[in-house]
Amino acid sequence: MAALLSSVAVGLLTHLWNQPLHVPFQYAHLQGDDEEDATLDLMLIKNVHEQGWFSTNPKLNAPFAQHWAEWPMGGDLLAYTIKKGIVDVTDDVPLTFNLFWLLTFPLTALAAFPVLRKLRVSWSAAVVGATLFSLAPYHFRNGAGHENLAFYVGIPIVVLLCLRVLGPDGDLPGPAAFRRRATWWRVRWMLLGTVLIAVTGIYYLAFLLTLLAICAVITVLAGRGFGRLVVAGVFAVTGLAASTLANLPTLLYRAQHATNLLGVPDRRLGVSEDYPLRIVELLSPVTAHRFPPFAWLADHLYAPNQQGMGTAMLGLAAGIGFVVALLTMVRHVVKRGHRRGWNFEARIGVLVLVILVVGMGGGISRALELVGLSGVRAWTRIAIVIAFAGIVVFGRLLDRWRVRLVRPGTTGRRAAWVTVCAVVLVVGTLDQASPALMPNPAARADLWYRNQRFVSGLEHRLPADAMVFQLPVTDFPEHGAIASMSAHDEIKTGYLHSRTLRWSSGGIRGRSGEWQWPAANRSTNSLVRGLAALGFSAITLDRDGYPKRQAPVRIHHLTARLGPPIADDHHGLLAWDIDHARSALLAGITAEQRHRIARRLLDAPQVFLASDVDPIRNRGEAQPICAHATALIVNPSHHPVSANTRIEFVPKPNVKPIGWARLRGRHLTIPMTGARLVRLRLRPGINRLELHVDTPHTRCASAPTAELSRVTVSLPTNR
């Protein structure tokens, strides 16, 4: 019943009968929103459909292949298993994308109901609670763009396990009991729930491990022995083991390949401070609330001048439970009751307080980065754990009202109770589901079909398996927004709509697709000739990826070299045919010379720069430096080459006007006013260039970046 009510509610809220389900619910059109990640998810569904799974795709990262195994996906294993089943039946990628998001609602309700019953909520209140939890503001705010995060079926298990650890001795068996097979059978569902968490989100596993550990430590400090710490360890090890097995392809890939110089993913220390949990947002109404005064309040409680996630709002029902749990805990502490064990709501209050201490700005999550959890950057998402804890308390409050309302001898008591449940369910749903967060595929339909027509036109002109080089070159799968383009736009305007072509985009940053960056900096003539030698059949260009003055120049040069575009969507996308000009581009050269031209494009040296201020490497762009930095110059060829290297320091006012660099013992003085161009002999592989600046009386670890010097290292291309 909870799953059915959840499905009906989401159908009504989204006006599902009016939606074009063959157009994705989200399709990127602006930088920085979650619709960029929707494109990524659509790509992975298409990978699964065409290749059997998403680990390798020869249609991306041409002339090589996309090796997605490097990106940790174990937390999404169950989601993509379900998506594979759907797409194999429907043969429709956007429909699969939409159906999975719709399925996350009833599946969440199905998972929440038995846990609510286990936590002493009556079945009728549990139906209401499970339905409201499945329709949490967090669910709509993540939307289809983060539909794997919206698949939070493991969160009720997180709350259940933590409350069991905090509960009386009878709630969990002691460490000695695990020597008996019957004990393992008794906790089998909680163990399976831990496995479920491990394969439905790395965020949710991190929440479980952190909260379990802290709750177990609290029981030790409360003088209840170390038994709960051991039992919590059993569940933690189960989750870690399941996560390890789920991420085994990634672990094997990384063990078999050299370290990625750019990091996949890359996370700097302190990233948890970007998206902290804020109490005022927990209790804030949802964005664009249906009740105008609440909408005004939400707008004014949002973090000013900060990029927020907007996922922390609890909604009215969970918010009431949140407040009651905290007040009950305070009352219990102040009153100092003598009854053994903790009051149930007070226990939930303790759990909520722990979550706040972990997720708030400057909280425990900041320290957890030092032990390897820097990949979990948005701790505001832990609000969904608070949401379920609040729903548990709210469900128990409903039961107290039921006891008072449904008294023996009262006429119409059952009808009154059903009415109360229905009113609570309707009001709670309307409070949580902002109209502004509902999917609107109809608004994306024109863009979807326009991109489809553009790619179809190319496929009619080009042979099967033809390679298409896409300009501008962008990062993937992170940091891909450039100029007016959204991240992953070249996946959206190419591979997603293609059946027969191969595309240059989609290569994991720092790997085999890195040749595209120095190639894109060459003159148009040099680039086109090299692409022809490599076997590319076409070039596409997106005007939105260039500053306004650069795009016309690039288009003019391509047209002058290759003739008029063979495809134009009249909104920014253009394509040119290389095949028809190949003979002219490569006229008079031998096969060996053609091979050398191709290798020259693929083997251009690459530079990766990191400093003591920012250890996250970039491709030599301006980097703050306090005392030292390291430029790794990669020579992909199998023989030494000479390369001009441009090194530039931009000093802060009080720095001594001297900098220096060292490569294999060679000492180079670098002026602090202007740049120095040096000729370096690069061995095959990685060449390490050390850069230094004299910064007296500066504590580098805590120096403000605005007061530091900056350094740039580049390899000017022979144009």
Side-chain angles (χ1 to χ4, degrees):
M1 185 178 292
L4 177 62
L5 288 172
S6 178
S7 299
V8 170
V10 76
L12 294 172
L13 289 167
T14 59
H15 298 167
L16 196 59
W17 56 91
N18 285 332
Q19 302 292 1
L21 291 181
H22 296 278
V23 175
F25 278 164
Q26 291 188 342
Y27 193 59
H29 67 297
L30 294 173
Q31 286 186 3
D33 63 15
D34 292 343
E35 300 198 23
E36 294 178 325
D37 293 321
T39 302
L40 194 63
D41 195 27
L42 287 161
M43 179 203 76
L44 290 170
I45 296 172
K46 194 166 189 285
N47 286 4
V48 167
H49 184 43
E50 293 182 345
Q51 310 302 326
W53 201 237
F54 48 64
S55 54
T56 302
N57 189 348
K59 291 189 175 181
L60 289 166
N61 191 34
F64 305 106
Q66 181 192 75
H67 296 289
W68 190 255
E70 183 167 7
W71 191 269
M73 293 291 293
D76 299 317
L77 185 63
L78 181 57
Y80 283 105
T81 301
I82 295 172
K83 291 176 187 181
K84 177 172 172 54
I86 298 172
V87 76
D88 285 348
V89 171
T90 63
D91 194 33
D92 190 317
V93 170
L95 178 61
T96 298
F97 176 78
N98 296 340
L99 289 179
F100 179 81
W101 185 72
L102 294 171
L103 276 173
T104 58
F105 290 90
L107 291 176
T108 301
L110 281 173
F113 179 83
V115 176
L116 285 166
R117 295 288 290 132
K118 202 74 173 174
L119 293 174
R120 311 175 194 174
V121 179
S122 70
W123 79 263
S124 52
V127 166
V128 174
T131 305
L132 289 177
F133 179 66
S134 71
L135 300 168
Y138 178 93
H139 205 148
F140 293 105
R141 173 57 185 84
N142 277 301
H146 283 163
E147 63 183 13
N148 292 347
L149 282 169
F151 189 43
Y152 50 87
V153 291
I155 292 299
I157 304 297
V158 175
V159 174
L160 176 64
L161 283 171
C162 290
L163 293 179
R164 288 290 189 257
V165 169
L166 291 170
D169 292 340
D171 280 4
L172 277 179
F178 279 91
R179 298 174 184 173
R180 298 189 295 271
R181 183 179 300 177
T183 302
W184 291 96
W185 182 252
R186 175 185 166 189
V187 299
R188 66 192 184 280
W189 293 114
M190 286 189 285
L191 289 171
L192 286 173
T194 306
V195 174
L196 176 69
I197 294 167
V199 296
T200 53
I202 192 67
Y203 270 93
Y204 304 141
L205 179 61
F207 298 162
L208 172 67
L209 298 178
T210 302
L211 298 179
L212 266 184
I214 296 174
C215 290
V217 169
I218 289 174
T219 62
V220 172
L221 295 177
R224 298 169 64 188
F226 289 88
R228 291 301 168 90
L229 197 60
V230 175
V231 174
V234 170
F235 290 102
V237 168
T238 301
L240 284 172
S243 180
T244 300
L245 288 174
N247 284 291
L248 198 56
T250 299
L251 297 174
L252 291 174
Y253 183 92
R254 293 184 175 182
Q256 295 166 359
H257 294 79
T259 302
N260 192 320
L261 298 180
L262 286 178
V264 178
D266 60 343
R267 299 286 187 267
R268 57 177 176 79
L269 288 177
V271 70
S272 62
E273 300 296 331
D274 292 344
Y275 306 106
L277 193 62
R278 299 175 68 241
I279 294 178
V280 71
E281 283 184 20
L282 289 171
L283 298 175
S284 167
V286 296
T287 302
H289 197 282
R290 298 168 191 274
F291 185 45
F294 280 12
W296 178 90
L297 188 62
D299 289 340
H300 288 78
L301 289 178
Y302 207 77
N305 303 319
Q306 291 186 16
Q307 180 187 9
M309 297 290 286
T311 56
M313 291 78 171
L314 297 178
L316 191 59
I320 291 172
F322 167 75
V323 172
V324 169
L326 288 179
L327 292 178
T328 304
M329 181 192 66
V330 172
R331 178 177 178 273
H332 183 85
V333 171
V334 174
K335 195 172 180 180
R336 294 178 179 270
H338 296 289
R339 289 187 301 171
R340 188 177 180 183
W342 291 346
N343 175 278
F344 190 80
E345 279 74 16
R347 249 191 288 158
I348 296 179
V350 171
L351 175 59
V352 167
L353 184 61
V354 168
I355 296 171
L356 293 176
V357 171
V358 170
M360 291 176 65
I364 294 176
S365 59
R366 179 67 180 87
L368 291 174
E369 293 183 19
L370 303 177
V371 294
L373 282 183
S374 58
V376 183
R377 59 178 176 174
W379 282 88
T380 184
R381 288 174 174 146
I382 204 171
I384 192 61
V385 184
I386 297 179
F388 187 74
I391 287 293
V392 173
V393 176
F394 185 77
R396 289 168 60 82
L397 287 174
L398 277 180
D399 283 337
R400 287 182 172 89
W401 297 337
R402 178 179 59 85
V403 170
R404 294 183 179 182
L405 182 67
V406 186
R407 292 179 178 176
T410 305
T411 58
R413 57 185 185 273
R414 184 168 295 176
W417 172 239
V418 171
T419 302
V420 167
C421 288
V423 170
V424 168
L425 192 56
V426 171
V427 172
T429 298
L430 294 176
D431 169 71
Q432 294 177 174
S434 167
L437 298 179
M438 296 302 116
N440 186 14
R444 311 287 183 262
D446 287 346
L447 179 59
W448 173 263
Y449 290 121
R450 186 169 76 234
N451 292 158
Q452 194 173 74
R453 288 191 296 270
F454 178 80
V455 175
S456 296
L458 277 181
E459 290 190 327
H460 285 305
R461 294 289 299 265
L462 301 174
D465 290 326
M467 295 190 296
V468 180
F469 188 81
Q470 296 168 275
L471 289 173
V473 174
T474 61
D475 251 320
F476 184 86
E478 292 185 300
H479 320 300
I482 180 173
S484 299
M485 279 176 57
S486 301
H488 322 314
D489 264 9
E490 291 181 333
I491 299 293
K492 184 185 75 176
T493 58
Y495 172 69
L496 278 190
H497 299 280
S498 172
R499 292 182 177 272
T500 63
L501 301 178
R502 298 175 62 194
W503 304 84
S504 64
S505 61
I508 302 298
R509 60 196 307 263
R511 293 299 184 185
S512 56
E514 280 299 307
W515 68 273
Q516 298 181 33
W517 291 89
N521 289 327
R522 289 178 173 270
S523 66
T524 301
N525 188 57
S526 176
L527 171 63
V528 170
R529 198 163 184 253
L531 293 175
L534 274 171
F536 279 87
S537 296
I539 294 178
T540 64
L541 181 143
D542 191 333
R543 287 189 183 95
D544 290 338
Y546 292 90
K548 289 185 179 179
R549 294 182 180 179
Q550 289 185 14
V553 174
R554 193 66 149 171
I555 292 169
H556 172 75
H557 289 162
L558 285 168
T559 302
R561 201 70 185 88
L562 298 173
I566 59 171
D568 185 347
D569 76 342
H570 304 292
H571 286 81
L573 286 174
L574 298 159
W576 290 265
D577 191 350
I578 295 178
D579 278 343
H580 86 282
R582 194 182 309 276
S583 57
L585 290 168
L586 303 176
I589 66 171
T590 65
E592 183 180 350
Q593 290 171 325
R594 174 176 172 172
H595 176 74
R596 281 203 299 268
I597 293 172
R599 292 312 311 178
R600 194 178 301 128
L601 204 64
L602 295 177
D603 292 342
Q606 304 151 14
V607 60
F608 304 97
L609 178 65
S611 74
D612 52 356
V613 178
D614 191 351
I616 302 299
R617 293 191 185 95
N618 64 24
R619 295 185 180 87
E621 296 93 352
Q623 184 87 292
I625 176 174
C626 182
H628 61 85
T630 302
L632 303 179
I633 305 178
V634 177
N635 174 11
S637 68
H638 299 291
H639 53 81
V641 298
S642 295
N644 291 324
T645 305
R646 185 178 184 273
I647 304 171
E648 181 178 11
F649 287 113
V650 179
K652 64 178 183 178
N654 62 337
V655 75
K656 290 185 177 180
I658 199 72
W660 56 277
R662 176 177 289 137
L663 175 66
R664 292 193 297 274
R666 181 184 174 189
H667 188 93
L668 305 168
T669 300
I670 310 297
M672 296 299 289
T673 53
R676 178 173 177 182
L677 192 66
V678 295
R679 187 89 171 159
L680 298 179
R681 186 70 171 169
L682 303 177
R683 296 173 180 171
I686 298 175
N687 298 264
R688 189 182 185 89
L689 180 66
E690 300 289 345
L691 304 164
H692 298 267
V693 175
D694 190 0
T695 52
H697 313 300
T698 301
R699 184 180 177 86
C700 291
S702 55
T705 55
E707 299 178 5
L708 296 175
S709 305
R710 301 184 76 81
V711 62
T712 304
V713 179
S714 58
L715 300 171
T717 305
N718 181 8
R719 305 180 71 82

